[in-house]
Amino acid sequence: MVKFKLQEARVEGHSDTPSRADQASPGTPVQPEHSVVRRFLLSRGNSAWTDRAFKWLMLGCALTIFGIVALIASELVMRSQLSINKFGIAFFFHQAWDPVSGDFGALAFIYGTLGSSFLALLIAVPLAIGLAIFLTEMCPRFLRGPLAFFTELLAAIPSVVYGLWAVFVLVPLLREHVNPFLAKALGWTGFFGGPNFGIGMLAAGVILAIMILPIVSSLTREVMTAVPHTQREAVLALGATRWEMIRMGVLRNARIGIVGSVILGLGRALGETMAVTMVIGNRPEIAKSLFAPGYSMASVIANEFSEATDDLYLSALIEIGLALFIVTIIVNAIARLLVWAVTRGAPARVN
């Protein structure tokens, strides 16, 4: 019975078309059939020259970036030589700005740029980190996508739109409600005193905080997502609460990347022009009160470049642009290095 079944199985498995193994003579190795991709690669011939051309094309694209940066830097240096030769390093520590007498200094603009930028970080960073923690660790799945989308949508709004909104909405709100409250509660500090115009350093800091919020929040969320789940599970397994897990298992491992995202936000705040120009007040002075008008490096270039009547005036404005260019490059380079340090080797995850 068993023998009959084995013979029947051989008959059923027998094919009228002999296989390649049956056709091959004894002792001849069987050559497997090539796939479609392999047949295509074999039919195209030698493509070493194509690989070399592609390599040099990509290298040219990469070198183009360095060329653009070098051209911008060289042009700024050459165009600001007149101001550099006359004022030297004292240009950055001199406050006066008098185009009529030819007395120029960048200290007031440096103060306005740094003051408004750091005020924006003071407002935006806690909100951005809190938003990133909520989206990553606590947000319901149905709300995570829409909330992340609208947060990143803020980064796509043009700065002039932010400026118009600040002029018609933010400035009256600060002048009528926020500034009087701050003057009454914190006026003793000296930072919230003096005339209440609505426009000034505080208004510039608030509008910059709104503009850099999506940048800091998105990067912080990506860095927190890169933290492995094993870190969270290990902390929870030891009996930690959710807050302790976030603080010790997530934020501690993502701290370098969070710092990098903050520095990237600072780079955006340093170079912002239109929105700041419309609300900062555009007065070259250094005042302790945040209610007082100020001036930033980007704002003075945008406002006065078309009004430069002599070569020294124009050279001083270009030197301010050179200083802003160097600061922006340094800030972005440090941020990229910090973000890479925390995210290297971490597998990408999609929530």
Side-chain angles (χ1 to χ4, degrees):
M1 184 67 178
V2 175
K3 183 177 180 181
F4 175 76
K5 289 184 177 180
L6 290 175
Q7 291 177 351
E8 184 180 359
R10 291 194 189 99
V11 172
E12 289 178 354
H14 179 72
S15 174
D16 295 337
T17 304
S19 64
R20 297 186 61 185
D22 296 335
Q23 295 176 355
S25 60
T28 303
V30 178
Q31 298 295 333
E33 294 184 359
H34 296 306
S35 64
V36 177
V37 177
R38 181 61 177 171
R39 287 197 299 269
F40 168 76
L41 295 177
L42 291 175
S43 64
R44 64 183 173 84
N46 188 8
S47 61
W49 66 272
T50 308
D51 290 340
R52 286 194 295 268
F54 179 75
K55 173 185 175 181
W56 288 109
L57 179 61
M58 295 302 101
L59 179 61
C61 294
L63 294 178
T64 301
I65 304 301
F66 292 100
I68 293 173
V69 174
L71 287 174
I72 294 175
S74 61
E75 186 69 16
L76 290 174
V77 170
M78 288 189 298
R79 296 284 184 173
S80 59
Q81 280 297 318
L82 185 61
S83 176
I84 294 174
N85 295 334
K86 182 172 182 178
F87 301 108
I89 195 66
F91 178 81
F92 301 101
F93 303 98
H94 187 49
Q95 181 179 348
W97 184 264
D98 189 0
V100 176
S101 61
D103 188 14
F104 299 101
L107 184 60
F109 309 119
I110 295 174
Y111 169 79
T113 302
L114 296 179
S116 59
S117 299
F118 283 108
L119 180 60
L121 291 182
L122 186 64
I123 298 172
V125 169
L127 294 176
I129 295 178
L131 178 60
I133 292 174
F134 178 74
L135 286 173
T136 307
E137 306 295 334
M138 308 171 71
C139 183
R141 185 173 297 273
F142 73 92
L143 185 60
R144 183 176 302 170
L147 187 57
F149 170 77
F150 283 109
T151 302
E152 295 173 357
L153 184 63
L154 293 176
I157 299 177
S159 61
V160 66
V161 177
Y162 277 112
L164 290 173
W165 176 83
V167 169
F168 292 106
V169 178
L170 179 62
V171 170
L173 180 65
L174 292 176
R175 182 176 58 245
E176 298 172 7
H177 302 284
V178 179
N179 289 357
F181 171 77
L182 292 175
K184 183 178 180 180
L186 300 173
W188 55 273
T189 61
F191 292 106
F192 303 99
N196 179 17
F197 301 111
I199 60 174
M201 292 291 292
L202 181 60
V206 172
I207 195 63
L208 281 177
I210 298 174
M211 297 180 69
I212 68 174
L213 175 64
I215 299 175
V216 180
S217 175
S218 297
L219 291 175
T220 301
R221 182 163 56 90
E222 293 298 326
V223 172
M224 292 176 62
T225 303
V227 176
H229 270 299
T230 54
Q231 297 286 342
R232 299 171 172 86
E233 294 169 356
V235 177
L236 291 174
L238 294 175
T241 62
R242 173 176 286 188
W243 156 241
E244 292 171 336
M245 179 272 292
I246 294 173
R247 180 172 59 88
M248 295 184 294
V250 179
L251 294 180
R252 181 172 295 180
N253 289 280
R255 61 187 182 276
I256 299 179
I258 294 174
V259 173
S261 66
V262 171
I263 296 178
L264 280 178
L266 175 61
R268 169 69 188 275
L270 290 173
E272 182 51 47
T273 305
M274 287 307 301
V276 176
T277 304
M278 298 172 74
V279 298
I280 199 172
N282 303 323
R283 182 184 300 174
E285 64 179 22
I286 297 177
K288 183 180 180 181
S289 175
L290 298 178
F291 295 164
Y295 226 158
S296 67
M297 289 188 284
S299 297
V300 68
I301 296 173
N303 271 340
E304 302 186 17
F305 193 82
S306 60
E307 301 176 1
T309 55
D310 57 76
D311 294 338
L312 182 60
Y313 191 3
L314 182 62
S315 180
L317 290 174
I318 296 177
E319 187 175 2
I320 293 177
L322 176 63
L324 183 59
F325 178 75
I326 295 173
V327 169
T328 304
I329 289 179
I330 294 175
V331 166
N332 282 275
I334 295 174
R336 293 292 182 183
L337 181 62
L338 291 175
V339 172
W340 171 83
V342 75
T343 58
R344 57 181 177 179
R349 287 195 300 110
V350 179
N351 289 335

